[in-house]
Amino acid sequence: MTRALAALPDWPAALTESEALEYTRVSVAQIKEWRDRGTVRFVPRGRNGAAIARRSDLDAAMAAMFESGSATGTDGWFD
């Protein structure tokens, strides 16, 4: 599914896990791997403890994924 540019959201500086999944379009397993490795850190915030991650960390993780060449074998990276 392709969205028109005008329909894309203005992403906040920090994202919940579900927003991070939509933003990066990687799999849940990839977000978990980044979290486990400390590449992307989710920090609990608010009364309900919803965890958020910095968008800049997600951008860096995506850039590293493509620069390392591991994006060529996309099995497990994207849903």
Side-chain angles (χ1 to χ4, degrees), residues 27-77:
S27 68
V28 172
Q30 183 59 57
I31 292 284
K32 183 182 180 326
E33 181 180 323
W34 286 340
R35 182 187 326 219
D36 292 349
R37 288 184 176 185
T39 304
V40 175
R41 189 170 150 233
F42 283 86
V43 178
R45 290 290 181 250
R47 275 186 250 161
N48 297 328
I52 57 173
R54 289 187 299 188
R55 188 181 71 216
S56 59
D57 290 347
L58 293 163
D59 291 340
M62 288 292 294
M65 181 177 77
F66 281 92
E67 289 167 4
S68 72
S70 51
T72 56
T74 56
D75 293 344
W77 289 90

